[in-house]
Amino acid sequence: MSLPQKILNSEVGRRRRYVRTGSMEGVFSGKEAYRQHFDPKGFFNVYMLCGSMNSSDCDPIYAFLQEMLHKTFLVDGIQGDTLIDIGSGPSIYQLLSACESFKEIIATDLLEQNRAELRKWLKKDPEALDWTPMVKYTCQLEGNREKWKEKEEKLRRTIKQVLPCDVTLANPLDPLVLQPVDAVISTFCLESACDDLPTYCSAMKNVGSLVKPGGHLIFAAIMEENYYMVGSHKFGCLYLMPEMVRDAVKGAGFEILWSQGFGLTSLPSNCDAKGTFFLVAKKPSESQ
């Protein structure tokens, strides 16, 4: 057998294992590894610190995501009273468009260190992470880059709570029980929290249970990634492709309204991601 054919067969076998299990050879990082080793500031400095946030000098994945969120909330007009963000991390960028469309936002994360960073930003702590470039970029998408300070204040007013969450629980907000809400957003969370495809599908159902009938799920996932680095620590990810995300969302009882992928033309040095996948889905009304 020629060397190219051996390589091809190896890749085919690798893909077949993925299709059966939803997992590649990456090492899964459990909750305790995140609690002990995940550094919010290190994560921010590697993945979020992006200069003036122009398309030429920003991480393309996050520029793409901001554009998709702008379309979702301000062009397509998805709105309501309450939105829950599942797996916020230390980040606020994913909520900058949403605060124009919802009266109340609830941010959540598994890690206390991430929730602490969110509270610092909400309180204008001098040591808080500086999201100004992404705020300005979002305002640019909305037509006025100079309104970034007003945008920050609006988001601070709209985020009413910062809560613990665990997507592997039937009620991710346990022990708190909330009435289902108008929309749930989750970006780049479940692939880090789940070690195989069945767990991922179960987590999607758990997250989806927070959405009321007729409500929406706004979702983004990293594609074909086995790991990412924060400082010297490697965190494993569930290797996903778009059809797996679609199937999990449908299996959670949602109808996909639209989706869009974004592939990277050059691979980053701090992870092995190949791109990202974004979708908007709706939970059918009880009358349907």
Side-chain angles (χ1 to χ4, degrees), residues 3-253:
L3 181 60
Q5 187 62 44
K6 287 181 180 178
I7 294 173
L8 176 60
N9 287 351
S10 173
E11 177 64 14
V12 169
R14 193 170 77 109
R15 296 284 176 175
R16 284 175 178 165
R17 288 194 297 277
Y18 153 70
V19 170
R20 289 198 305 269
T21 67
S23 180
M24 298 296 271
E25 286 82 357
V27 177
F28 177 65
S29 302
K31 299 172 190 177
E32 287 309 312
Y34 272 92
R35 289 187 176 107
Q36 293 179 28
H37 301 302
F38 188 84
D39 174 20
K41 286 187 170 64
F43 175 79
F44 175 85
N45 290 336
V46 171
Y47 298 97
M48 303 292 179
L49 200 59
C50 48
S52 61
M53 192 63 192
N54 293 318
S55 59
S56 60
D57 63 6
C58 177
D59 185 315
I61 282 181
Y62 291 98
F64 165 78
L65 184 58
Q66 293 303 93
E67 292 163 11
M68 295 299 97
L69 293 170
H70 172 75
K71 168 178 165 51
T72 298
F73 295 114
L74 298 178
V75 178
D76 294 350
I78 288 180
Q79 59 186 315
D81 292 326
T82 303
L83 176 140
I84 298 176
D85 181 23
I86 293 293
S88 303
S91 311
I92 56 92
Y93 70 88
Q94 70 277 16
L95 302 173
L96 290 166
S97 294
C99 73
E100 303 293 338
S101 301
F102 287 82
K103 299 175 183 176
E104 174 184 18
I105 292 174
I106 299 172
T108 74
D109 200 77
L110 174 71
L111 303 181
E112 170 55 29
Q113 60 262 43
N114 283 340
R115 300 194 301 270
E117 287 298 332
L118 288 173
R119 289 190 289 266
K120 283 182 183 179
W121 186 83
L122 291 171
K123 295 177 181 177
K124 300 184 183 180
D125 188 309
E127 296 185 0
L129 301 176
D130 182 7
W131 295 99
T132 304
M134 283 196 176
V135 180
K136 288 183 176 180
Y137 185 71
T138 300
C139 290
Q140 178 179 313
L141 293 173
E142 294 175 8
N144 191 340
R145 188 179 177 92
E146 299 309 311
K147 286 191 173 182
W148 64 273
K149 289 184 179 180
E150 295 175 33
K151 169 71 78 174
E152 286 190 335
E153 291 310 305
K154 185 162 191 177
L155 181 54
R156 286 189 175 100
R157 291 193 304 270
T158 307
I159 297 176
K160 304 297 186 184
Q161 299 182 77
V162 178
L163 301 175
C165 79
D166 183 343
V167 299
T168 65
L169 301 178
N171 170 18
L173 304 180
D174 185 75
L176 185 65
V177 177
L178 298 181
Q179 292 296 314
V181 298
D182 300 292
V184 165
I185 182 173
S186 186
T187 59
F188 310 145
C189 170
L190 268 62
E191 58 268 37
S192 298
C194 303
D195 62 348
D196 57 30
L197 189 57
T199 304
Y200 183 84
C201 292
S202 177
M204 189 73 76
K205 291 178 181 177
N206 298 341
V207 171
S209 71
L210 301 173
V211 180
K212 70 182 184 181
H216 292 86
L217 175 68
I218 299 96
F219 195 80
I222 294 291
M223 294 292 96
E224 299 185 68
E225 181 177 58
N226 294 296
Y227 74 92
Y228 68 98
M229 302 291 297
V230 178
S232 61
H233 295 283
K234 179 182 284 189
F235 295 94
C237 283
L238 180 63
Y239 187 100
L240 293 170
M241 298 181 74
E243 62 267 26
M244 310 309 293
V245 180
R246 290 192 193 98
D247 288 347
V249 170
K250 292 175 183 176

